[in-house]
Amino acid sequence: MGREQRSGERTLSIIKPDGVSKGVIGEVIRRFEKEGIRVVALKMLHLTKRQAEGFYVVHRERPFFPSLTDFMSSGPIVVMVLEGDDVIARNRTIMGATDPKKADSGTIRADFAGNIEQNIVHGSDAPETAAMEIDYFFSKLDIM
Ligand code: CMP
């Protein structure tokens, strides 16, 4: 196998502290791989409050920002770069709606999330945010 660029879009996926503590890391990754989505970078880390605030900076004016960034820095997370055709939209379908009460059955959030904040996974919502979010966690050399 060479190191040629494969076809496909990239997105950032995070298994949040609730997903790690509930023991569904493997199950979440299985759902991506089952759909033919490739994991091309992966690591576990524990964000500081400041790092969580930096990641979610677009939400800084929202009332849930302090609580969200407390939650995201409360324990380890798994961050991944996913690759595949149309992977941004496909990942969002696999995750389900932000609010698990509104998520379609069989989605990750419907199956595992406790509430709209502690919702197991994050996924980039557009190509520009995917590029920024991947850059927040990974250098070019980290991505296969
Ligand atoms: P995520 O996809 O990571 O993007 C922003 C996050 O903010 C979202 O998932 C939830 O974890 C959180 N969030 C969004 N809306 C609300 C809300 N109304 N109340 C609390 N948390 C929210």
Side-chain angles (χ1 to χ4, degrees):
M1 285 290 277
R3 292 186 172 214
E4 71 280 4
Q5 182 73 46
R6 288 173 299 258
S7 67
E9 190 175 66
R10 286 175 176 172
T11 193
L12 184 86
S13 170
I14 303 179
I15 303 175
K16 299 184 180 188
D18 55 336
V20 173
S21 67
K22 285 179 177 174
V24 297
I25 297 171
E27 174 61 21
V28 168
I29 294 174
R30 189 188 72 85
R31 290 182 184 211
F32 298 147
E33 291 189 327
K34 191 161 62 93
E35 298 297 324
I37 292 170
R38 294 182 293 277
V39 178
V40 294
L42 178 150
K43 64 184 166 189
M44 178 177 271
L45 68 165
H46 189 153
L47 295 178
T48 63
K49 171 89 170 164
R50 192 64 64 86
Q51 289 168 335
E53 288 169 348
F55 180 73
Y56 280 120
V57 68
V58 295
H59 296 304
R60 67 188 176 282
E61 306 299 340
R62 304 285 192 96
F64 57 80
F65 184 70
S67 162
L68 172 65
T69 52
D70 276 347
F71 163 58
M72 287 300 290
S73 56
S74 68
I77 62 172
V78 173
V79 291
M80 290 175 272
V81 180
L82 305 179
E83 187 179 78
D85 291 334
D86 202 24
V87 71
I88 295 172
R90 285 165 66 211
N91 179 36
R92 293 174 70 77
T93 302
I94 295 166
M95 291 193 297
T98 305
D99 183 351
K101 291 200 288 289
K102 296 181 184 152
D104 290 339
S105 64
T107 62
I108 292 169
R109 285 165 169 164
D111 288 348
F112 303 116
N115 56 63
I116 192 169
E117 178 177 278
Q118 304 203 4
N119 60 357
I120 306 285
V121 278
H122 167 82
S124 311
D125 63 1
E128 303 72 38
T129 41
M132 277 171 35
E133 291 180 359
I134 289 170
D135 223 44
Y136 195 76
F137 290 108
F138 295 100
S139 87
K140 214 170 173 177
L141 292 174
D142 295 326
I143 303 171
M144 303 303 123

